[in-house]
Amino acid sequence: MQFDDQGDLDTSQVDDRRGIPGGKVAIGGGAVGLIAVLFAVVLGVDPQLLGLSSGSGSVSSPGVRTAGEAQQACKTGADANKRQDCRIVAVTNSLQDFWRTELPRRTNIAYRSAETVLFTGQVSTACGPATSAVGPFYCPGDRKAYVDLGFFNELSSRFGAKGGPFAESYVVAHEYGHHIQNLTGAMQKAAGDRQGANSGSVRLELQADCYAGVWAHHATTTPQPSTGRPLIASLTDQDIAQGLDAAAAVGDDRIQQQATGRINPEAWTHGSAEQRKAWFTTGYRSGDLAQCDTFSAARP
Ligand SMILES: [Zn+2]
């Protein structure tokens, strides 16, 4: 994965709250939100937040970071080639450049900007306070994708993924897939059907994986408005393999097998490793969001 060294990074799309201890937890209502999140962790069911996986655990954030550091450090594609946080800025920029054009072109739905929030430990959101333990997630109430970069270490150490820059990009693209679903109304379709191999939740999560693949298909041909060149200069087969490997690692069957030694499709919320890889691949091969209709199939 290579970024255009001369590409522009737009850090206004990323809110870097790292180094703010505990975030700003809202007073009143906060406790209720926190309980909801704790339920999400214990039961693997996500009542409000749309996470990447049903897994949970503690995340240790690498190094001590300062709030707003990305704004200081991330200026060009060359920075994204060197630093993980700048890479997340660049991927966020690429995702929004793509969907801003593609969504209205294909659906007549206007794109509305989202934001990526980098945090450590705990964060306050419109969906209530959340901790890193829930993994990366999207909150429809404030249209923000929340990422503790410590999760990417966990992706390898705990979920057994190979990791790498495009594994991380896939995670961010999956959360922006949820943002697209928030704009199209697909998110509402899945409401209240939270568990099971054919549930609305699984269909929603697999569609987010498919949308991540659609973006990946177009990532190296989506021009940046400011330069006229794609911010992502190259993606190799090895990069795509990293994304598929990460998608499989957060499959419900893999997580269940690891946690309990048994696989129980009735408790699935995100889909199996094979399903997650298959839907990412459908999006990646076709580049067509209409192919991501996980809601029509009898089995997603
Ligand atoms: Zn998700």
Side-chain angles (χ1 to χ4, degrees), residues 195-199 202 252-253 256 262-272 275 299:
Q195 249 182 314
N198 292 317
S199 64
V202 165
D252 286 325
D253 53 344
Q256 286 177 339
R262 290 189 305 120
I263 294 168
N264 174 17
E266 285 173 20
W268 287 2
T269 55
H270 287 70
S272 69
Q275 285 175 306
R299 295 184 151 270

Side-chain angles (χ1 to χ4, degrees), residues 74-135:
C74 307
K75 307 288 185 196
T76 67
D79 299 323
N81 282 325
K82 286 188 217 112
R83 287 177 62 121
Q84 183 187 44
D85 50 0
C86 300
R87 192 160 65 232
I88 302 303
V89 173
V91 168
T92 297
N93 293 166
S94 172
L95 280 159
Q96 300 212 84
D97 283 344
F98 172 65
W99 287 116
R100 190 172 286 113
T101 309
E102 187 74 355
L103 186 69
R105 190 171 77 80
R106 298 299 312 280
T107 65
N108 287 322
I109 296 167
Y111 185 76
R112 296 180 71 191
S113 293
E115 203 174 70
T116 301
V117 179
L118 301 180
F119 73 100
T120 43
Q122 190 180 341
V123 69
S124 173
T125 83
C127 300
T131 70
S132 301
V134 297

